[in-house]
Amino acid sequence: MIVFLFSSYSLCNSFQWIQYGIINNIFMHFYGVDAFTIDWMSMIYMLTYIPFIFPVTWLLDKKGLRVIALVATALNCAGTWVKVLSVKPNLFAVTFFGQFCCSFAQVFILGMPSRIASVWFGSEEVSTACSIGVFGNQQRHVDNCVQMQPYRTSA
């Protein structure tokens, strides 16, 4: 159940990652921006990770899984709602802020599989639980990239 819960909010966050890149031509037209700007909507996920991974890892050690999971879920939910509420052509900066919130949530989520495995599972289950958690997150990214292929090759 614990791995399922983690995979669920990891899934929700992963769907936020590349949603703009899949149909970038539509978003370019809607917001009146170029392709490079839309590409930054996915690149922000990688850039956010770099400065925040060490503070988030420290928080995970000091505050524990529950706090980190709640913060990650709250950030992802808030970022998603910000993006939903900013669906107006003149609110691209607000949309980008929502994407940043979701990317910040990802920093919390990516550090959790090994901690979940070590806290919730026995010594003979740790490696399996950790690999499921990591693979569950990566599978979502693979699914998103596979969905992109038809759009990239036909454009």
Side-chain angles (χ1 to χ4, degrees):
M1 182 64 158
I2 295 300
V3 173
F4 172 74
L5 286 173
F6 170 75
S7 295
S8 295
Y9 57 80
S10 181
L11 165 73
C12 292
N13 183 262
S14 293
F15 282 147
Q16 300 299 318
W17 169 49
I18 205 162
Q19 71 187 70
Y20 293 96
I22 293 171
I23 49 174
N24 66 345
N25 58 338
I26 294 170
F27 287 108
M28 286 169 42
H29 178 72
F30 182 78
Y31 285 114
V33 296
D34 61 1
F36 184 72
T37 305
I38 296 297
D39 288 343
W40 272 102
M41 297 293 277
S42 64
M43 289 189 295
I44 191 70
Y45 265 68
M46 286 93 172
L47 292 175
T48 303
Y49 187 83
I50 296 167
F52 292 112
I53 187 57
F54 294 113
V56 169
T57 302
W58 179 82
L59 278 174
L60 182 58
D61 287 339
K62 295 297 179 192
K63 299 297 182 182
L65 276 171
R66 183 177 188 274
V67 170
I68 296 301
L70 290 173
V71 170
T73 305
L75 281 169
N76 197 53
C77 182
T80 303
W81 276 109
V82 166
K83 291 192 295 185
V84 167
L85 296 174
S86 67
V87 180
K88 292 183 181 170
N90 62 334
L91 295 179
F92 181 77
V94 178
T95 302
F96 194 85
F97 175 73
Q99 186 76 348
F100 170 77
C101 290
C102 293
S103 71
F104 190 42
Q106 180 204 31
V107 179
F108 288 82
I109 291 169
L110 290 181
M112 292 180 62
S114 61
R115 181 61 62 95
I116 289 171
S118 66
V119 169
W120 284 93
F121 295 91
S123 61
E124 296 188 11
E125 301 168 319
V126 170
S127 61
T128 303
C130 185
S131 64
I132 290 170
V134 170
F135 180 73
N137 184 278
Q138 297 306 313
Q139 183 61 39
R140 303 316 183 253
H141 294 300
V142 169
D143 290 345
N144 285 335
C145 289
V146 168
Q147 290 174 357
M148 277 181 59
Q149 290 303 322
Y151 295 101
R152 294 289 187 195
T153 57
S154 65

